[in-house]
């Protein structure tokens, strides 16, 4: 089968063996896979970095290499590290398609079902994918498979809203109006919130406006604090959801400025977290991190072994 891979820091399409059905998993013929530009470009850039730079950025992995060296010696360690650096890495984590085979122990899916799949290293850009059943969901009637391919991004946006614990009628700021931010705007609107959007790109600001944002501003061209205070009667927004990607600490500081006392800030995107204590202390703001698609993410017992959490 064909699959998109990162090879030596470059994106390539290679022919690879199709996955074999496993217990607790589903084999899906992919109809559409979604390109998550920010995450995937970051992955490609990371693959281009030198070994030394990667080591400086991920010291915990260096410790693992040292432990491996102590147990297996220099030659074996070099072979393993070289294989990791030069090996093929899959791209993609959100797709849709048709179930072709169902593994042992899976009862809720049947061959022919239309499904959406998620999971890095699982729901790849490939002709066929093997995905644990907890990371698969049936596509409802009336939903196009092309739209369903955005399942992972939609889940990430939804989890950000859930972490903010929003109520009907609350005013919410969304900082960063890329793909994730635009989905967040729409989910907030259907949840009964008033939405204020910010981005440095005028095109994204206009898109947010057409998708339902009550107010949207080009952050670099407006006095964002005055605008928010005017909209909220001088109080600040009830919650701010950060869906931007930046290494700067400034975005978090701006979020604290526009959020009211006892409000909430939720970080969904990747931003600098050099926090100042005084704004948190003075406003008693709750600062929260949203972990990808929510409960179960990064838990191998849930994702790999298929053990679901109690409904409560």
């Amino acid at each position: 089968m064909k699959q998109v891979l990162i090879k030596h820091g470059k994106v390539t399409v290679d022919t690879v063996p199709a996955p074999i059905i496993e217990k607790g998993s589903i084999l899906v013929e992919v109809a559409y896979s979604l390109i998550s530009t920010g995450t995937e470009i970051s992955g490609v850039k990371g693959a281009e970095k030198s070994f030394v730079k990667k080591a400086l950025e991920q010291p915990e992995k260096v410790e693992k290499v040292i432990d491996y060296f102590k147990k297996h010696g220099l030659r074996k360690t070099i072979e393993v590290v070289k294989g990791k650096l030069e090996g093929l890495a899959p791209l993609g984590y959100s797709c849709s398609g048709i179930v072709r085979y169902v593994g042992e122990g899976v009862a809720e899916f049947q061959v022919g079902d239309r499904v959406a799949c998620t999971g890095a290293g699982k729901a790849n850009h490939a002709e066929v994918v093997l995905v644990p059943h907890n990371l698969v969901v049936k596509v409802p009637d009336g939903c196009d498979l092309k739209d369903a391919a955005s399942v992972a991004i939609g889940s990430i946006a939804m989890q950000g809203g859930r972490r903010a614990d929003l109520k009907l009628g609350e005013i919410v700021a969304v900082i960063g109006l890329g793909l994730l931010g635009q989905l967040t705007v729409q989910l907030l609107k259907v949840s009964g919130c008033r939405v204020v959007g910010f981005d440095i790109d005028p095109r994204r600001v206009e898109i947010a406006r057409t998708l339902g944002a009550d107010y949207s501003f080009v952050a670099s061209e407006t006095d964002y604090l005055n605008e928010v205070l005017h909209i909220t009667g001088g109080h600040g927004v009830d919650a701010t959801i950060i869906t931007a990607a930046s290494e700067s600490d400034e975005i978090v500081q701006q979020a604290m400025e526009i959020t009211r006392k006892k409000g909430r800030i939720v970080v969904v995107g990747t931003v600098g977290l050099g926090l100042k204590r005084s704004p948190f202390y003075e406003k008693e703001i709750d600062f929260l991190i949203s972990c990808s698609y929510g409960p179960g993410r990064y838990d191998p017992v849930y994702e790999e072994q298929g053990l679901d959490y109690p409904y409560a």
Side-chain angles (χ1 to χ4, degrees):
M1 70 170 190
K2 299 289 187 182
Q3 181 170 351
V4 179
L5 301 162
I6 303 176
K7 186 177 183 180
H8 303 302
K10 305 294 182 183
V11 178
T12 181
V13 178
D14 273 17
T15 300
V16 300
I20 300 173
I21 192 67
E22 296 177 358
K23 181 179 179 180
S25 294
I26 298 166
L27 201 67
V28 177
E29 181 181 349
V30 176
Y32 297 94
S33 63
L34 184 86
I35 297 173
S36 176
T37 51
T39 299
E40 293 182 33
I41 288 174
S42 176
V44 173
K45 287 181 177 179
E48 294 174 344
K49 293 178 181 177
S50 68
F51 174 70
V52 174
K53 192 165 186 178
K54 288 180 181 179
L56 291 172
E57 291 178 354
Q58 302 179 72
E60 72 283 356
K61 291 189 177 180
V62 175
E63 292 176 7
K64 290 182 180 179
V65 171
I66 293 171
D67 290 339
Y68 191 89
F69 165 70
K70 290 177 180 178
K71 294 177 182 178
H72 302 280
L74 180 61
R75 184 175 178 180
K76 185 67 176 177
T77 303
I78 291 173
E79 290 176 358
V80 170
V81 171
K82 187 176 180 182
K84 289 283 187 182
L85 292 175
E86 296 181 355
L88 302 175
L91 274 173
Y93 62 92
S94 187
C95 69
S96 64
I98 307 296
V99 174
R100 293 307 178 203
Y101 293 97
V102 176
E104 180 186 344
V106 178
E108 65 268 42
F109 297 98
Q110 297 180 346
V111 172
D113 283 347
R114 300 187 320 133
V115 295
C117 314
T118 187
K122 300 176 180 67
N124 306 314
H125 299 311
E127 291 182 296
V128 179
V129 294
L130 182 70
V131 186
H133 72 94
N134 273 354
L135 299 181
V136 182
V137 64
K138 289 183 181 180
V139 176
D141 294 337
C143 181
D144 188 286
L145 280 176
K146 187 174 183 180
D147 293 333
S150 65
V151 60
I153 308 296
S155 299
I156 294 168
M158 185 181 294
Q159 177 65 6
R162 284 176 169 164
R163 289 288 283 155
D165 191 24
L166 301 166
K167 309 295 189 299
L168 284 167
E170 287 197 311
I171 305 175
V172 186
V174 178
I175 300 179
L177 298 172
L179 175 59
L180 190 55
Q182 301 291 355
L183 287 172
T184 300
V185 167
Q186 295 173 79
L187 285 169
L188 293 174
K189 286 303 298 179
V190 298
S191 300
C193 296
R194 295 167 63 193
V195 182
V196 186
F198 294 96
D199 200 281
I200 58 175
D201 187 337
R203 295 170 301 172
R204 292 179 174 182
V205 170
E206 184 55 37
I207 291 171
R209 198 170 290 138
T210 62
L211 292 177
D214 298 275
Y215 311 91
S216 56
F217 303 99
V218 180
S220 58
E221 298 177 1
T222 186
D223 186 334
Y224 59 89
L225 180 57
N226 274 345
E227 293 288 358
V228 167
L229 292 177
H230 175 71
I231 292 166
T232 61
H235 300 291
V237 296
D238 298 296
T240 298
I241 299 178
I242 301 173
T243 50
S246 171
E247 295 180 1
S248 171
D249 301 327
E250 188 61 29
I251 291 176
V252 173
Q253 303 308 323
Q254 292 171 350
M256 286 190 285
E257 290 177 19
I258 65 175
T259 304
R260 66 166 170 81
K261 286 187 176 182
K262 297 186 180 294
R264 291 92 69 199
I265 295 174
V266 178
V267 177
V268 179
T270 304
V271 293
L273 295 178
L275 308 177
K276 295 178 182 178
R277 178 180 180 275
S278 57
F280 280 116
Y281 177 77
E282 293 164 7
K283 289 187 172 182
E284 286 192 317
I285 288 175
D286 291 334
F287 186 81
L288 306 165
I289 299 291
S290 180
C291 181
S292 195
Y293 349 121
R297 186 68 181 109
Y298 306 118
D299 182 351
V301 175
Y302 177 90
E303 292 192 351
E304 303 291 345
Q305 299 176 30
L307 182 63
D308 204 353
Y309 290 119
Y311 186 79

